Amino acid sequence: MRSDRHLPLLLSTTLLGFASAHAADGDPDPGFGIGGYAASGTTGYVVDAVAIRPDGRILTCGDDGFTGPGEGFVVMQFRADGTLDPTFGDQGVTHVVFDPADDTCTGIAVQPDGRIVVAGYVRSPAIPAGSLYAPAAARLTHDGAPDPDFGDGAGKRIYALRHIVNAMALQGDGKILLAGMSLAAHPYDFSVLRILADGTPDPEFGTDAQVTVSFVGTTSQDQAEAIAVDDQQRIVVAGTADAGGASAIGVVRLLPDGQPDSAFGNDGQVRAGNDALHYGAFGNALVLQRDGKIVVAGGRNSLASPFANSTAVRLQEDGSVDTTYGDQGATDIGFSPAGVPDTSFESAAIRQDDGKVVLAGVAFDADDHKYATVARLDTQGQVDASFADGGSTIIPLADAQHPSQWFSALALSDGRVVAAGFVDDESGTIGGFSGLLVRLQSDLIFFDSL
C-alpha cells in the first residue's frame, strides 16, 4: 500500500460560507467536518457506496478513479465528526485487491455483528471467456482486516459469472444479494446473485445461485441498479428495462427462493415511468415504504424538452402505479444549474423516519459541467419546500474551475442525511478525483420513529 495515497485534500474555505449556526434543514451541517464537508484525504478516490455503523461512524467504499492498477476496492472509515478513523485499517483506509486489473466497489453494508461486507465487480482471468467482468465480494472485520471466515480464506472471492454488480443488500439470515446485469447473452438481463454468509454461492437460489430476468418486450439491455429486501423477505430489484429508445424504469419482485412473485405486476415485473408526455425512463435508486409501496428514483425524458429530468415513481404493493403520488404517480424535479436548462437524474434515495424521501444525484448544465444535487419529497410525492433551497438544490462540493461534482450514495446518521460522492477538478491529470462526504442538517434529530 503506497503511503502517498493519503495526501490531505484541502477543502476551500469558500465552503464555510455555505454553513452557519442557523443552517436550515437540508443545509450542510456545521458540526461535521469543515462546514459540513469531510474529505477522503485520498486523491484519485471515487466514492460509490456509504454505510453507517450503530455508533455513528461512517464507512465508504469506492475505487481508485483510474489512478492505476492494483489498488482494488478502497474502504474508508470516518468518525461521526467527519475525521478519518485511525483505528480502522491503515490510518482509516483498507484496500481489498482482487486482481491487478480494475476492481470497482459498488456496495457496502454492516452486519449485525459489526463485520463489513463490500461488493462490486472486477476484471479477472477467472471470468468465463467472452466477458470482461465478474462479481466480487469481500468481508472485513470490525477494524478493517480481512475476515478469514469469508471466501477464499483471505476474506474475498471472485464469482465465475459474466455479471456486473451495481448494488448489494443483506438478508436478515446473513445471506448477501448482488444485483446488476448479466452479460451471458445479448440482450442483457437483470441479474441477482445470492451468496451465503461464508461467501459461497447459495445453491438454493435460482439456477446455480443466480436469477436472471428479461423484461417482456425488451430488445436491448435490462440493468439492475438497486436492490432491497422487504419485511416479508421478498426481494425487490429496480433499474432500467431496455436501454434503447423505449427504455422504462424496470422493477422486479422475487420470492425468497428467487422465483418471480406472481402477485406483483406481470409475473413479477413492472415497467413504469413512461406516459403520453415522457419516454426513455431509467431507474437508479430504490426505497421501500412501511406500507409495502415502492419508490424508484432515476430520470426520464420529456417530449416537450430535449433534457432529462430527475424523477421518482411510486408503485402500489401489487406493482400498479400509485396515481396519488406526485402527478399521476411520478414527480419530476429540476435544478437548472447556472440558470440554464439542465439534464439531471437521481443516483441514490433514502427514506427518513417521517416517510419523506431524500434523493441525491447530479445535474448537467449546457456545457456538460456536473453539479451534485439533493432534493426531498414529502409522503405524497411533492417537492418539500421546507428542505434546503425550496426542496431541491445544488450542493457545491468544491471551489474549483468548472469541476465535475456528483452524489452517488446516501445514508442516515441519527436522523441526518450523509451524502457521499466525488469531485473531479477536470485537470486531465491522473488523480483528479477526490471523494467527499456531506452531512445535512435535519429537523428529525429528535424525531420519534413512526
Side-chain angles (χ1 to χ4, degrees), residues 55-404:
D55 63 3
R57 286 179 293 175
I58 303 166
L59 288 157
T60 65
C61 191
D63 58 71
D64 59 11
F66 309 105
T67 61
E71 296 294 352
F73 292 3
V74 185
V75 184
M76 293 189 178
Q77 181 164 286
F78 296 80
R79 299 187 183 101
D81 64 1
T83 57
L84 271 174
D85 181 358
T87 68
F88 181 85
D90 178 8
Q91 296 299 307
V93 184
T94 291
H95 292 266
V96 182
V97 181
F98 292 88
D99 192 81
D102 295 335
D103 301 338
T104 301
C105 183
T106 54
I108 187 168
V110 182
Q111 295 183 165
D113 62 5
R115 290 182 289 185
I116 304 151
V117 180
V118 292
Y121 56 95
V122 302
R123 300 175 67 149
S124 167
I127 304 166
S131 177
L132 292 176
Y133 302 103
R139 192 166 66 200
L140 307 175
T141 62
H142 72 281
D143 59 359
D147 181 358
D149 295 330
F150 184 90
D152 61 4
K156 60 188 177 180
R157 179 163 177 166
I158 297 173
Y159 302 89
L161 296 169
R162 299 166 64 180
H163 176 172
I164 286 177
V165 174
N166 294 321
M168 178 184 69
L170 299 184
Q171 293 189 174
D173 59 3
K175 295 178 182 179
I176 303 162
L177 295 161
L178 309 181
M181 180 170 64
S182 170
L183 307 176
H186 196 275
Y188 302 139
D189 295 326
F190 271 31
S191 180
V192 181
L193 168 67
R194 189 162 74 188
I195 56 181
L196 301 176
D198 64 359
T200 58
D202 182 0
E204 297 183 358
F205 186 77
T207 301
D208 297 328
Q210 185 181 33
V211 170
T212 58
V213 178
S214 179
F215 280 81
V216 175
T218 59
T219 58
S220 182
Q221 66 185 44
D222 304 330
Q223 180 164 198
E225 298 283 356
I227 187 168
V229 181
D230 70 13
D231 57 5
Q232 299 182 49
Q233 298 306 303
R234 297 174 301 191
I235 301 162
V236 182
V237 189
T240 302
D242 189 351
S247 62
I249 291 171
V251 186
V252 170
R253 194 168 70 199
L254 305 174
L255 299 174
D257 63 357
Q259 294 298 312
D261 183 355
S262 60
F264 183 80
N266 178 15
D267 195 26
Q269 58 181 251
V270 169
R271 301 178 80 233
N274 291 335
D275 55 33
L277 300 177
H278 298 89
Y279 70 99
F282 51 94
N284 291 327
L286 170 67
V287 166
L288 302 183
Q289 295 189 177
R290 292 188 179 92
D291 59 5
K293 295 181 180 180
I294 301 166
V295 177
V296 181
R300 63 178 179 173
N301 296 298
S302 168
L303 292 172
S305 168
F307 305 103
N309 279 323
S310 295
T311 195
V313 173
R314 189 164 75 183
L315 304 178
Q316 303 274 14
E317 188 173 8
D318 66 1
S320 60
V321 174
D322 181 0
T323 57
T324 69
Y325 190 78
D327 181 9
Q328 295 299 306
T331 299
D332 290 334
I333 307 160
F335 297 93
S336 294
V340 300
D342 66 285
T343 293
S344 63
F345 60 83
E346 304 302 338
S347 298
I350 198 163
R351 189 197 71 215
Q352 296 185 160
D353 280 341
D354 61 355
K356 296 179 179 179
V357 174
V358 179
L359 310 172
V362 65
F364 301 72
D365 69 14
D367 296 318
D368 201 34
H369 301 137
K370 303 171 184 66
Y371 302 79
T373 62
V374 292
R376 189 166 72 189
L377 304 180
D378 65 21
T379 57
Q380 298 304 309
Q382 302 300 322
V383 175
D384 181 5
S386 68
F387 180 80
D389 183 14
S392 61
T393 191
I394 292 167
I395 301 291
L397 298 187
D399 181 24
Q401 183 70 29
H402 303 308
S404 292

